[in-house]
Amino acid sequence: RSAAGVLEKMAELDVEDPKPRARLAEIYHQLGDREHELREYRTLAELMMKHGRWDEAAHVYGRALAVAPDDLSFVTDAVLGLKDAGQVGAAAKLLAIAVEKNPQAERIARLGRHVEEARKLLGVPGVSGGLVQDGKVVFAGGYGVAWLFRRQWQ
């Protein structure tokens, strides 16, 4: 735990350095602390995406899926994050890995495709929603745009 504390301080001091985050994820994995391990993987993947390192981000998301294939909200965030960044191939590959590890991910992806088709058919600019199973959010997401107009006052 003390090593994790030191690495957390290092990560706070240099938020652009991925090494402490990667090491933290490994330490949390060894400690069996899945929540913190996923947090570090998420932060690390977001850092990779921020710097246009798409393949590395997809790899980090894949490692996180190995830890928590049942965390469908994480899977959804990861796939949508890659898709929104224009990395459709990486998003599809990650979804395929998720489906292999957890068949429920495919059902949610299929539902998402239906929602997007309905949104377009009805001409609605944006839709958001969520799914709850056994008191736990398994999906939360949006399709389309949140703001159709943005007024700027001068």
Side-chain angles (χ1 to χ4, degrees), residues 4 9 14 27 63 67 84:
K9 293 291 183 194
D14 187 0
I27 289 171
R63 300 246 345 226
V67 174
D84 291 346

Side-chain angles (χ1 to χ4, degrees), residues 2-3 124 127 129 151:
S2 62
V124 176
V127 175
R151 289 188 179 150

